[in-house]
Amino acid sequence: MDDALLRARAVLASARRVVAFSGAGVSAESGIPTYRGDADSLWSAGNFERFANPRGYRRHLPESYRWYRERAIAVARAQPNPAHHSLAQLEARVPDFTLVTQNVDSLHLRAGSKNVIEIHGHLRDARCDDCGRRIPWAQAPDHHDCVCGGMLRPDVVMFEEMLDERALARAQDAARRAEVLLSIGTSAQVWPAAELPLIAQESGAQVVIVNPDLAGQPAGPSVIGLEGRAGEVLPRLL
Ligand code: OAD
């Protein structure tokens, strides 16, 4: 990896416009399971059908509400790892830096990153599907009934739901303008988020991928693959 690491360091050192695009792998070393890959993954077994889309969520209440509430409490207890800290430090030295994260765990914000687009929402609050009221999960009831009589749900984007249009447009614009896009810890399977590295690539950016498994990731002359765990590779890179 050393040659690739040196090349990635060189392109980053001179870049003025950088986008970091992160996925669940960035938080794996903080003890938060990823979505795909092994038996402990969040979308393993029946979880995807029960919890990943709004129909499954409604059908499996109150279990689905409690599943998200437990996840929210678990991520609030987790701590940012060296990957999150490295990205916060990178932001301080790049004039135009945008961090687009698919993660809902708030660990980038807690590590000090500022210009963060949470493209799939977050697990800080429960939200009423009817009146829009938001309640921090730590104060949320143990059942899904809102005081208005509506249904509480997580403030995340589920499958079959639209991403926030303005957040997506900002992320795409940043990818188009980027000189370097770092894609870290994502399987790059979920659209439209997964299009961001391709948008950057097509716009002439250098794409640097950090992942222990480079199979299935974007490839080509403008892509540098750094094989390894984010918490180890990012501190060395930055
Ligand atoms: P995935 O679970 O699909 O992919 C996790 C990626 O992280 C894989 O490519 C792993 O190889 C990699 N990985 C594992 N450990 C790592 C480590 N220590 N360092 C670096 N990489 C590591 O997660 P995402 O790509 O984030 O959306 O999934 C995208 C979206 O799918 C999520 O935002 C979520 C999910 O459905 C919604 O819930 C809407």
Side-chain angles (χ1 to χ4, degrees):
M1 183 175 86
D2 283 346
D3 175 50
L5 189 71
L6 292 176
R7 281 189 294 132
R9 264 191 204 151
V11 297
L12 261 184
S14 59
R16 299 178 58 79
R17 294 184 301 281
V18 174
V19 169
F21 173 55
S22 72
V26 168
S27 297
E29 289 153 83
S30 295
I32 299 176
T34 60
Y35 291 91
R36 304 172 176 78
D38 55 44
D40 298 330
S41 301
L42 288 168
W43 290 157
S44 67
N47 282 359
F48 188 80
E49 184 46 40
R50 283 180 296 171
F51 309 137
N53 68 64
R55 283 174 298 104
Y57 181 84
R58 272 184 190 276
R59 202 175 310 130
H60 293 93
L61 285 167
E63 183 195 4
S64 49
Y65 171 80
R66 292 187 181 137
W67 187 79
Y68 277 101
R69 196 172 67 136
E70 275 166 30
R71 265 186 73 199
I73 290 166
V75 302
R77 289 198 187 117
Q79 296 303 322
N81 67 53
H84 300 103
H85 292 302
S86 296
L87 290 169
Q89 285 159 16
L90 180 65
E91 178 168 14
R93 73 176 208 221
V94 174
D96 181 345
F97 181 89
T98 307
L99 200 164
V100 183
T101 187
Q102 300 165 90
N103 298 345
V104 293
D105 55 33
S106 307
L107 289 182
H108 287 302
L109 292 172
R110 285 175 51 205
S113 287
K114 294 191 170 62
N115 192 24
V116 179
I117 302 175
E118 294 174 308
I119 205 163
H120 289 160
H122 59 79
L123 278 175
R124 292 186 289 280
D125 303 320
R127 184 183 86 224
C128 176
D129 207 36
D130 296 271
C131 72
R133 179 190 315 260
R134 285 183 165 76
I135 309 172
W137 278 107
Q139 284 135 49
D142 65 1
H143 55 81
H144 56 272
D145 298 322
C146 177
V147 287
C148 78
M151 175 192 76
L152 294 173
R153 56 159 288 168
D155 204 1
V156 301
V157 181
M158 293 189 200
F159 279 88
E160 302 171 14
E161 295 182 322
M162 301 293 284
L163 275 63
D164 179 87
E165 260 177 53
R166 280 193 307 181
L168 180 61
R170 275 179 59 214
Q172 290 171 333
D173 182 52
R176 234 171 260 122
R177 290 184 297 110
E179 293 166 83
V180 178
L181 181 140
L182 288 168
S183 175
I184 313 149
T186 175
S187 60
Q189 284 186 24
V190 176
W191 287 64
E195 195 185 6
L196 295 172
L198 307 179
I199 291 176
Q201 212 178 350
E202 278 165 16
S203 309
Q206 187 85 48
V207 173
V208 178
I209 296 176
V210 179
N211 200 305
D213 179 8
L214 294 175
Q217 296 285 341
S222 59
V223 177
I224 303 174
L226 301 178
E227 198 170 358
R229 288 147 58 106
E232 290 159 13
V233 175
L234 284 182
R236 290 178 66 202
L237 173 64
L238 306 175

